Amino acid sequence: DYLFIHFINQLPEEVAHGNATLLAYKVWINIMAGNFEYASLLVPENFKNEEKNIIKGIQLAIEAYMLFYQAGDFKTCIKTCETVLNLLDAKHQAMWNMIQFMNIIAYRYHGDAKKTKECLKNKPHQSNDDFYIMNQADFEIEMGCLNTALEKLDRLIENTERIYGDSPPVILSFT
């Protein structure tokens, strides 16, 4: 991921800061790396109306991130994530998936097993199947359904080996 941060930060300012989507991802990836000073680059007024939603969405995503990881305010994090998910459209799939994942984890930590299970069961069509299967299995373990979790993870590993051989995506190292 360092390579991506390095690449995106090397783009000329007029390119990165003149495109709402590119700027939003530049700020988000830097926030994930702990570079919070990048949040000041998000100024919705600098963009046309149709581009303001991605900027506002990222501002709220950063707020949700801080509510989750720094404040432990899962209830407010959930509300903020849901607002972000409504602001971002389908063309921002990667961001949408990250926020949906944070929302699911916030439901878990808030103690709402019913909503967590519902979110994991009703996986959005644009989301990564493997990622959801890993989280479903993790939730099954938390609920004490070890056999169900093991079955899901076994199927995931078999499918991954069939598709990727000995070079699976890094995200699958969490299984």
Side-chain angles (χ1 to χ4, degrees), residues 8-42:
I8 203 163
N9 287 339
Q10 294 302 311
L11 290 172
E13 218 173 270
E14 61 273 7
V15 171
H17 298 195
N19 179 297
T21 301
L22 193 53
L23 178 61
Y25 279 89
K26 176 180 180 171
V27 170
W28 182 255
I29 197 75
N30 276 284
I31 294 292
M32 296 292 101
N35 302 323
F36 288 93
E37 68 275 6
Y38 279 82
S40 66
L41 297 174
L42 298 171

PDB file of all heavy atoms in Angstrom, residues 8-42:
ATOM      1  N   ILE A   8       0.136   8.183  -5.591  1.00  0.00           N
ATOM      2  CA  ILE A   8      -0.930   9.188  -5.586  1.00  0.00           C
ATOM      3  C   ILE A   8      -0.430  10.530  -5.056  1.00  0.00           C
ATOM      4  O   ILE A   8      -0.857  11.582  -5.508  1.00  0.00           O
ATOM      5  CB  ILE A   8      -2.184   8.687  -4.831  1.00  0.00           C
ATOM      6  CG1 ILE A   8      -3.412   9.458  -5.300  1.00  0.00           C
ATOM      7  CG2 ILE A   8      -2.024   8.773  -3.332  1.00  0.00           C
ATOM      8  CD1 ILE A   8      -4.725   8.816  -4.950  1.00  0.00           C
ATOM      9  N   ASN A   9       0.524  10.498  -4.138  1.00  0.00           N
ATOM     10  CA  ASN A   9       1.071  11.753  -3.613  1.00  0.00           C
ATOM     11  C   ASN A   9       2.048  12.416  -4.583  1.00  0.00           C
ATOM     12  O   ASN A   9       2.361  13.595  -4.429  1.00  0.00           O
ATOM     13  CB  ASN A   9       1.736  11.532  -2.258  1.00  0.00           C
ATOM     14  CG  ASN A   9       0.715  11.314  -1.161  1.00  0.00           C
ATOM     15  OD1 ASN A   9      -0.440  11.675  -1.284  1.00  0.00           O
ATOM     16  ND2 ASN A   9       1.155  10.706  -0.081  1.00  0.00           N
ATOM     17  N   GLN A  10       2.513  11.671  -5.583  1.00  0.00           N
ATOM     18  CA  GLN A  10       3.425  12.231  -6.581  1.00  0.00           C
ATOM     19  C   GLN A  10       2.687  12.916  -7.732  1.00  0.00           C
ATOM     20  O   GLN A  10       3.307  13.627  -8.524  1.00  0.00           O
ATOM     21  CB  GLN A  10       4.339  11.136  -7.148  1.00  0.00           C
ATOM     22  CG  GLN A  10       5.299  10.561  -6.136  1.00  0.00           C
ATOM     23  CD  GLN A  10       6.193  11.622  -5.532  1.00  0.00           C
ATOM     24  OE1 GLN A  10       6.788  12.428  -6.215  1.00  0.00           O
ATOM     25  NE2 GLN A  10       6.280  11.633  -4.210  1.00  0.00           N
ATOM     26  N   LEU A  11       1.392  12.711  -7.824  1.00  0.00           N
ATOM     27  CA  LEU A  11       0.634  13.363  -8.892  1.00  0.00           C
ATOM     28  C   LEU A  11       0.708  14.875  -8.730  1.00  0.00           C
ATOM     29  O   LEU A  11       0.682  15.385  -7.606  1.00  0.00           O
ATOM     30  CB  LEU A  11      -0.831  12.922  -8.854  1.00  0.00           C
ATOM     31  CG  LEU A  11      -1.117  11.488  -9.254  1.00  0.00           C
ATOM     32  CD1 LEU A  11      -2.572  11.143  -8.990  1.00  0.00           C
ATOM     33  CD2 LEU A  11      -0.784  11.266 -10.718  1.00  0.00           C
ATOM     34  N   PRO A  12       0.789  15.599  -9.830  1.00  0.00           N
ATOM     35  CA  PRO A  12       0.800  17.062  -9.722  1.00  0.00           C
ATOM     36  C   PRO A  12      -0.458  17.550  -8.997  1.00  0.00           C
ATOM     37  O   PRO A  12      -1.544  16.997  -9.184  1.00  0.00           O
ATOM     38  CB  PRO A  12       0.802  17.528 -11.178  1.00  0.00           C
ATOM     39  CG  PRO A  12       1.295  16.362 -11.966  1.00  0.00           C
ATOM     40  CD  PRO A  12       0.876  15.138 -11.205  1.00  0.00           C
ATOM     41  N   GLU A  13      -0.281  18.576  -8.177  1.00  0.00           N
ATOM     42  CA  GLU A  13      -1.390  19.084  -7.367  1.00  0.00           C
ATOM     43  C   GLU A  13      -2.587  19.468  -8.222  1.00  0.00           C
ATOM     44  O   GLU A  13      -3.730  19.194  -7.856  1.00  0.00           O
ATOM     45  CB  GLU A  13      -0.902  20.291  -6.561  1.00  0.00           C
ATOM     46  CG  GLU A  13      -1.486  20.330  -5.184  1.00  0.00           C
ATOM     47  CD  GLU A  13      -0.878  21.428  -4.336  1.00  0.00           C
ATOM     48  OE1 GLU A  13       0.127  21.144  -3.672  1.00  0.00           O
ATOM     49  OE2 GLU A  13      -1.425  22.539  -4.339  1.00  0.00           O
ATOM     50  N   GLU A  14      -2.349  20.109  -9.372  1.00  0.00           N
ATOM     51  CA  GLU A  14      -3.469  20.544 -10.216  1.00  0.00           C
ATOM     52  C   GLU A  14      -4.269  19.355 -10.753  1.00  0.00           C
ATOM     53  O   GLU A  14      -5.453  19.462 -11.013  1.00  0.00           O
ATOM     54  CB  GLU A  14      -3.009  21.455 -11.353  1.00  0.00           C
ATOM     55  CG  GLU A  14      -2.030  20.844 -12.336  1.00  0.00           C
ATOM     56  CD  GLU A  14      -0.562  20.970 -11.927  1.00  0.00           C
ATOM     57  OE1 GLU A  14      -0.279  21.428 -10.805  1.00  0.00           O
ATOM     58  OE2 GLU A  14       0.302  20.578 -12.729  1.00  0.00           O
ATOM     59  N   VAL A  15      -3.624  18.201 -10.887  1.00  0.00           N
ATOM     60  CA  VAL A  15      -4.332  17.000 -11.336  1.00  0.00           C
ATOM     61  C   VAL A  15      -5.102  16.388 -10.173  1.00  0.00           C
ATOM     62  O   VAL A  15      -6.310  16.167 -10.261  1.00  0.00           O
ATOM     63  CB  VAL A  15      -3.342  15.962 -11.930  1.00  0.00           C
ATOM     64  CG1 VAL A  15      -4.038  14.643 -12.198  1.00  0.00           C
ATOM     65  CG2 VAL A  15      -2.700  16.509 -13.186  1.00  0.00           C
ATOM     66  N   ALA A  16      -4.410  16.106  -9.086  1.00  0.00           N
ATOM     67  CA  ALA A  16      -5.037  15.424  -7.951  1.00  0.00           C
ATOM     68  C   ALA A  16      -6.085  16.278  -7.262  1.00  0.00           C
ATOM     69  O   ALA A  16      -7.126  15.777  -6.843  1.00  0.00           O
ATOM     70  CB  ALA A  16      -3.973  15.003  -6.939  1.00  0.00           C
ATOM     71  N   HIS A  17      -5.850  17.566  -7.158  1.00  0.00           N
ATOM     72  CA  HIS A  17      -6.757  18.423  -6.411  1.00  0.00           C
ATOM     73  C   HIS A  17      -7.870  18.992  -7.279  1.00  0.00           C
ATOM     74  O   HIS A  17      -8.831  19.546  -6.762  1.00  0.00           O
ATOM     75  CB  HIS A  17      -5.986  19.548  -5.732  1.00  0.00           C
ATOM     76  CG  HIS A  17      -4.989  19.039  -4.737  1.00  0.00           C
ATOM     77  ND1 HIS A  17      -4.397  19.842  -3.812  1.00  0.00           N
ATOM     78  CD2 HIS A  17      -4.482  17.806  -4.502  1.00  0.00           C
ATOM     79  CE1 HIS A  17      -3.563  19.149  -3.065  1.00  0.00           C
ATOM     80  NE2 HIS A  17      -3.592  17.895  -3.494  1.00  0.00           N
ATOM     81  N   GLY A  18      -7.764  18.821  -8.581  1.00  0.00           N
ATOM     82  CA  GLY A  18      -8.792  19.310  -9.486  1.00  0.00           C
ATOM     83  C   GLY A  18      -9.856  18.285  -9.816  1.00  0.00           C
ATOM     84  O   GLY A  18     -10.852  18.592 -10.460  1.00  0.00           O
ATOM     85  N   ASN A  19      -9.659  17.064  -9.373  1.00  0.00           N
ATOM     86  CA  ASN A  19     -10.601  15.982  -9.639  1.00  0.00           C
ATOM     87  C   ASN A  19     -11.132  15.477  -8.301  1.00  0.00           C
ATOM     88  O   ASN A  19     -10.360  14.976  -7.472  1.00  0.00           O
ATOM     89  CB  ASN A  19      -9.878  14.861 -10.402  1.00  0.00           C
ATOM     90  CG  ASN A  19     -10.760  13.685 -10.693  1.00  0.00           C
ATOM     91  OD1 ASN A  19     -11.242  13.019  -9.785  1.00  0.00           O
ATOM     92  ND2 ASN A  19     -10.950  13.418 -11.970  1.00  0.00           N
ATOM     93  N   ALA A  20     -12.428  15.627  -8.080  1.00  0.00           N
ATOM     94  CA  ALA A  20     -13.022  15.296  -6.779  1.00  0.00           C
ATOM     95  C   ALA A  20     -12.771  13.845  -6.384  1.00  0.00           C
ATOM     96  O   ALA A  20     -12.422  13.563  -5.234  1.00  0.00           O
ATOM     97  CB  ALA A  20     -14.519  15.589  -6.784  1.00  0.00           C
ATOM     98  N   THR A  21     -12.909  12.929  -7.316  1.00  0.00           N
ATOM     99  CA  THR A  21     -12.721  11.510  -6.997  1.00  0.00           C
ATOM    100  C   THR A  21     -11.270  11.216  -6.661  1.00  0.00           C
ATOM    101  O   THR A  21     -10.972  10.560  -5.658  1.00  0.00           O
ATOM    102  CB  THR A  21     -13.191  10.625  -8.163  1.00  0.00           C
ATOM    103  OG1 THR A  21     -14.578  10.888  -8.406  1.00  0.00           O
ATOM    104  CG2 THR A  21     -12.996   9.166  -7.860  1.00  0.00           C
ATOM    105  N   LEU A  22     -10.369  11.718  -7.460  1.00  0.00           N
ATOM    106  CA  LEU A  22      -8.944  11.492  -7.211  1.00  0.00           C
ATOM    107  C   LEU A  22      -8.525  12.117  -5.880  1.00  0.00           C
ATOM    108  O   LEU A  22      -7.810  11.497  -5.088  1.00  0.00           O
ATOM    109  CB  LEU A  22      -8.122  12.059  -8.363  1.00  0.00           C
ATOM    110  CG  LEU A  22      -6.661  11.664  -8.446  1.00  0.00           C
ATOM    111  CD1 LEU A  22      -6.481  10.146  -8.415  1.00  0.00           C
ATOM    112  CD2 LEU A  22      -6.051  12.235  -9.716  1.00  0.00           C
ATOM    113  N   LEU A  23      -8.989  13.322  -5.612  1.00  0.00           N
ATOM    114  CA  LEU A  23      -8.674  13.980  -4.346  1.00  0.00           C
ATOM    115  C   LEU A  23      -9.242  13.189  -3.174  1.00  0.00           C
ATOM    116  O   LEU A  23      -8.565  12.986  -2.157  1.00  0.00           O
ATOM    117  CB  LEU A  23      -9.212  15.409  -4.326  1.00  0.00           C
ATOM    118  CG  LEU A  23      -8.980  16.175  -3.022  1.00  0.00           C
ATOM    119  CD1 LEU A  23      -7.490  16.322  -2.729  1.00  0.00           C
ATOM    120  CD2 LEU A  23      -9.665  17.528  -3.084  1.00  0.00           C
ATOM    121  N   ALA A  24     -10.470  12.731  -3.306  1.00  0.00           N
ATOM    122  CA  ALA A  24     -11.105  11.969  -2.231  1.00  0.00           C
ATOM    123  C   ALA A  24     -10.297  10.721  -1.899  1.00  0.00           C
ATOM    124  O   ALA A  24     -10.037  10.427  -0.724  1.00  0.00           O
ATOM    125  CB  ALA A  24     -12.534  11.592  -2.628  1.00  0.00           C
ATOM    126  N   TYR A  25      -9.858  10.002  -2.927  1.00  0.00           N
ATOM    127  CA  TYR A  25      -9.072   8.793  -2.678  1.00  0.00           C
ATOM    128  C   TYR A  25      -7.684   9.126  -2.141  1.00  0.00           C
ATOM    129  O   TYR A  25      -7.150   8.408  -1.301  1.00  0.00           O
ATOM    130  CB  TYR A  25      -9.000   7.925  -3.936  1.00  0.00           C
ATOM    131  CG  TYR A  25     -10.250   7.101  -4.108  1.00  0.00           C
ATOM    132  CD1 TYR A  25     -11.343   7.584  -4.813  1.00  0.00           C
ATOM    133  CD2 TYR A  25     -10.360   5.853  -3.522  1.00  0.00           C
ATOM    134  CE1 TYR A  25     -12.502   6.848  -4.941  1.00  0.00           C
ATOM    135  CE2 TYR A  25     -11.513   5.102  -3.644  1.00  0.00           C
ATOM    136  CZ  TYR A  25     -12.582   5.608  -4.353  1.00  0.00           C
ATOM    137  OH  TYR A  25     -13.728   4.871  -4.463  1.00  0.00           O
ATOM    138  N   LYS A  26      -7.107  10.217  -2.618  1.00  0.00           N
ATOM    139  CA  LYS A  26      -5.803  10.644  -2.100  1.00  0.00           C
ATOM    140  C   LYS A  26      -5.913  10.932  -0.599  1.00  0.00           C
ATOM    141  O   LYS A  26      -5.082  10.469   0.186  1.00  0.00           O
ATOM    142  CB  LYS A  26      -5.314  11.891  -2.834  1.00  0.00           C
ATOM    143  CG  LYS A  26      -4.013  12.448  -2.281  1.00  0.00           C
ATOM    144  CD  LYS A  26      -3.550  13.687  -3.033  1.00  0.00           C
ATOM    145  CE  LYS A  26      -2.242  14.196  -2.447  1.00  0.00           C
ATOM    146  NZ  LYS A  26      -1.649  15.248  -3.268  1.00  0.00           N
ATOM    147  N   VAL A  27      -6.926  11.661  -0.218  1.00  0.00           N
ATOM    148  CA  VAL A  27      -7.103  11.993   1.201  1.00  0.00           C
ATOM    149  C   VAL A  27      -7.390  10.725   2.000  1.00  0.00           C
ATOM    150  O   VAL A  27      -6.778  10.491   3.049  1.00  0.00           O
ATOM    151  CB  VAL A  27      -8.223  13.043   1.379  1.00  0.00           C
ATOM    152  CG1 VAL A  27      -8.583  13.210   2.841  1.00  0.00           C
ATOM    153  CG2 VAL A  27      -7.788  14.377   0.773  1.00  0.00           C
ATOM    154  N   TRP A  28      -8.287   9.880   1.516  1.00  0.00           N
ATOM    155  CA  TRP A  28      -8.667   8.675   2.258  1.00  0.00           C
ATOM    156  C   TRP A  28      -7.467   7.750   2.483  1.00  0.00           C
ATOM    157  O   TRP A  28      -7.236   7.295   3.592  1.00  0.00           O
ATOM    158  CB  TRP A  28      -9.788   7.932   1.546  1.00  0.00           C
ATOM    159  CG  TRP A  28     -10.228   6.707   2.307  1.00  0.00           C
ATOM    160  CD1 TRP A  28      -9.949   5.412   2.012  1.00  0.00           C
ATOM    161  CD2 TRP A  28     -10.994   6.679   3.503  1.00  0.00           C
ATOM    162  NE1 TRP A  28     -10.507   4.573   2.945  1.00  0.00           N
ATOM    163  CE2 TRP A  28     -11.160   5.328   3.879  1.00  0.00           C
ATOM    164  CE3 TRP A  28     -11.576   7.663   4.308  1.00  0.00           C
ATOM    165  CZ2 TRP A  28     -11.871   4.935   5.009  1.00  0.00           C
ATOM    166  CZ3 TRP A  28     -12.287   7.272   5.438  1.00  0.00           C
ATOM    167  CH2 TRP A  28     -12.418   5.922   5.772  1.00  0.00           C
ATOM    168  N   ILE A  29      -6.698   7.497   1.439  1.00  0.00           N
ATOM    169  CA  ILE A  29      -5.560   6.576   1.576  1.00  0.00           C
ATOM    170  C   ILE A  29      -4.517   7.161   2.523  1.00  0.00           C
ATOM    171  O   ILE A  29      -3.878   6.440   3.285  1.00  0.00           O
ATOM    172  CB  ILE A  29      -4.962   6.181   0.198  1.00  0.00           C
ATOM    173  CG1 ILE A  29      -4.085   4.923   0.317  1.00  0.00           C
ATOM    174  CG2 ILE A  29      -4.175   7.295  -0.420  1.00  0.00           C
ATOM    175  CD1 ILE A  29      -4.810   3.651   0.474  1.00  0.00           C
ATOM    176  N   ASN A  30      -4.362   8.469   2.521  1.00  0.00           N
ATOM    177  CA  ASN A  30      -3.438   9.098   3.460  1.00  0.00           C
ATOM    178  C   ASN A  30      -3.978   9.058   4.887  1.00  0.00           C
ATOM    179  O   ASN A  30      -3.205   8.878   5.827  1.00  0.00           O
ATOM    180  CB  ASN A  30      -3.113  10.530   3.024  1.00  0.00           C
ATOM    181  CG  ASN A  30      -1.993  10.557   2.007  1.00  0.00           C
ATOM    182  OD1 ASN A  30      -0.833  10.391   2.362  1.00  0.00           O
ATOM    183  ND2 ASN A  30      -2.334  10.727   0.737  1.00  0.00           N
ATOM    184  N   ILE A  31      -5.258   9.210   5.063  1.00  0.00           N
ATOM    185  CA  ILE A  31      -5.861   9.091   6.400  1.00  0.00           C
ATOM    186  C   ILE A  31      -5.623   7.678   6.930  1.00  0.00           C
ATOM    187  O   ILE A  31      -5.236   7.486   8.083  1.00  0.00           O
ATOM    188  CB  ILE A  31      -7.374   9.407   6.368  1.00  0.00           C
ATOM    189  CG1 ILE A  31      -7.615  10.872   6.026  1.00  0.00           C
ATOM    190  CG2 ILE A  31      -8.053   9.018   7.673  1.00  0.00           C
ATOM    191  CD1 ILE A  31      -7.194  11.878   7.057  1.00  0.00           C
ATOM    192  N   MET A  32      -5.817   6.671   6.079  1.00  0.00           N
ATOM    193  CA  MET A  32      -5.599   5.283   6.487  1.00  0.00           C
ATOM    194  C   MET A  32      -4.140   5.052   6.891  1.00  0.00           C
ATOM    195  O   MET A  32      -3.847   4.188   7.711  1.00  0.00           O
ATOM    196  CB  MET A  32      -5.967   4.299   5.369  1.00  0.00           C
ATOM    197  CG  MET A  32      -7.417   4.296   4.967  1.00  0.00           C
ATOM    198  SD  MET A  32      -8.503   3.662   6.238  1.00  0.00           S
ATOM    199  CE  MET A  32      -9.145   5.166   6.919  1.00  0.00           C
ATOM    200  N   ALA A  33      -3.239   5.840   6.332  1.00  0.00           N
ATOM    201  CA  ALA A  33      -1.822   5.721   6.667  1.00  0.00           C
ATOM    202  C   ALA A  33      -1.448   6.602   7.858  1.00  0.00           C
ATOM    203  O   ALA A  33      -0.287   6.647   8.254  1.00  0.00           O
ATOM    204  CB  ALA A  33      -0.966   6.098   5.453  1.00  0.00           C
ATOM    205  N   GLY A  34      -2.439   7.295   8.426  1.00  0.00           N
ATOM    206  CA  GLY A  34      -2.192   8.121   9.607  1.00  0.00           C
ATOM    207  C   GLY A  34      -1.817   9.558   9.306  1.00  0.00           C
ATOM    208  O   GLY A  34      -1.438  10.300  10.209  1.00  0.00           O
ATOM    209  N   ASN A  35      -1.932   9.961   8.058  1.00  0.00           N
ATOM    210  CA  ASN A  35      -1.611  11.336   7.660  1.00  0.00           C
ATOM    211  C   ASN A  35      -2.874  12.195   7.690  1.00  0.00           C
ATOM    212  O   ASN A  35      -3.430  12.549   6.657  1.00  0.00           O
ATOM    213  CB  ASN A  35      -0.982  11.354   6.259  1.00  0.00           C
ATOM    214  CG  ASN A  35       0.259  10.508   6.175  1.00  0.00           C
ATOM    215  OD1 ASN A  35       1.044  10.447   7.105  1.00  0.00           O
ATOM    216  ND2 ASN A  35       0.426   9.824   5.059  1.00  0.00           N
ATOM    217  N   PHE A  36      -3.319  12.546   8.875  1.00  0.00           N
ATOM    218  CA  PHE A  36      -4.595  13.241   9.049  1.00  0.00           C
ATOM    219  C   PHE A  36      -4.594  14.674   8.518  1.00  0.00           C
ATOM    220  O   PHE A  36      -5.657  15.243   8.295  1.00  0.00           O
ATOM    221  CB  PHE A  36      -5.020  13.210  10.520  1.00  0.00           C
ATOM    222  CG  PHE A  36      -5.460  11.847  10.958  1.00  0.00           C
ATOM    223  CD1 PHE A  36      -4.559  10.974  11.536  1.00  0.00           C
ATOM    224  CD2 PHE A  36      -6.760  11.426  10.767  1.00  0.00           C
ATOM    225  CE1 PHE A  36      -4.956   9.697  11.917  1.00  0.00           C
ATOM    226  CE2 PHE A  36      -7.168  10.166  11.138  1.00  0.00           C
ATOM    227  CZ  PHE A  36      -6.262   9.290  11.721  1.00  0.00           C
ATOM    228  N   GLU A  37      -3.432  15.252   8.303  1.00  0.00           N
ATOM    229  CA  GLU A  37      -3.373  16.626   7.801  1.00  0.00           C
ATOM    230  C   GLU A  37      -3.979  16.746   6.396  1.00  0.00           C
ATOM    231  O   GLU A  37      -4.388  17.823   5.976  1.00  0.00           O
ATOM    232  CB  GLU A  37      -1.940  17.169   7.826  1.00  0.00           C
ATOM    233  CG  GLU A  37      -0.986  16.509   6.859  1.00  0.00           C
ATOM    234  CD  GLU A  37      -0.324  15.221   7.371  1.00  0.00           C
ATOM    235  OE1 GLU A  37      -0.673  14.746   8.471  1.00  0.00           O
ATOM    236  OE2 GLU A  37       0.528  14.685   6.659  1.00  0.00           O
ATOM    237  N   TYR A  38      -4.073  15.631   5.678  1.00  0.00           N
ATOM    238  CA  TYR A  38      -4.641  15.654   4.334  1.00  0.00           C
ATOM    239  C   TYR A  38      -6.140  15.972   4.335  1.00  0.00           C
ATOM    240  O   TYR A  38      -6.680  16.409   3.333  1.00  0.00           O
ATOM    241  CB  TYR A  38      -4.396  14.323   3.611  1.00  0.00           C
ATOM    242  CG  TYR A  38      -3.021  14.221   3.027  1.00  0.00           C
ATOM    243  CD1 TYR A  38      -1.939  13.850   3.818  1.00  0.00           C
ATOM    244  CD2 TYR A  38      -2.788  14.509   1.697  1.00  0.00           C
ATOM    245  CE1 TYR A  38      -0.657  13.772   3.291  1.00  0.00           C
ATOM    246  CE2 TYR A  38      -1.515  14.432   1.153  1.00  0.00           C
ATOM    247  CZ  TYR A  38      -0.457  14.068   1.959  1.00  0.00           C
ATOM    248  OH  TYR A  38       0.801  14.002   1.426  1.00  0.00           O
ATOM    249  N   ALA A  39      -6.813  15.785   5.446  1.00  0.00           N
ATOM    250  CA  ALA A  39      -8.244  16.058   5.520  1.00  0.00           C
ATOM    251  C   ALA A  39      -8.565  17.510   5.190  1.00  0.00           C
ATOM    252  O   ALA A  39      -9.646  17.807   4.667  1.00  0.00           O
ATOM    253  CB  ALA A  39      -8.780  15.699   6.909  1.00  0.00           C
ATOM    254  N   SER A  40      -7.639  18.408   5.437  1.00  0.00           N
ATOM    255  CA  SER A  40      -7.876  19.830   5.164  1.00  0.00           C
ATOM    256  C   SER A  40      -8.000  20.130   3.667  1.00  0.00           C
ATOM    257  O   SER A  40      -8.464  21.205   3.286  1.00  0.00           O
ATOM    258  CB  SER A  40      -6.766  20.681   5.785  1.00  0.00           C
ATOM    259  OG  SER A  40      -5.529  20.413   5.152  1.00  0.00           O
ATOM    260  N   LEU A  41      -7.600  19.191   2.820  1.00  0.00           N
ATOM    261  CA  LEU A  41      -7.714  19.388   1.370  1.00  0.00           C
ATOM    262  C   LEU A  41      -9.155  19.264   0.877  1.00  0.00           C
ATOM    263  O   LEU A  41      -9.460  19.670  -0.247  1.00  0.00           O
ATOM    264  CB  LEU A  41      -6.848  18.365   0.633  1.00  0.00           C
ATOM    265  CG  LEU A  41      -5.340  18.438   0.865  1.00  0.00           C
ATOM    266  CD1 LEU A  41      -4.647  17.271   0.177  1.00  0.00           C
ATOM    267  CD2 LEU A  41      -4.787  19.771   0.377  1.00  0.00           C
ATOM    268  N   LEU A  42     -10.019  18.713   1.698  1.00  0.00           N
ATOM    269  CA  LEU A  42     -11.405  18.466   1.283  1.00  0.00           C
ATOM    270  C   LEU A  42     -12.262  19.717   1.490  1.00  0.00           C
ATOM    271  O   LEU A  42     -12.727  19.996   2.590  1.00  0.00           O
ATOM    272  CB  LEU A  42     -11.997  17.295   2.075  1.00  0.00           C
ATOM    273  CG  LEU A  42     -11.296  15.958   1.879  1.00  0.00           C
ATOM    274  CD1 LEU A  42     -11.819  14.943   2.870  1.00  0.00           C
ATOM    275  CD2 LEU A  42     -11.480  15.463   0.453  1.00  0.00           C
TER     276      LEU A  42
END
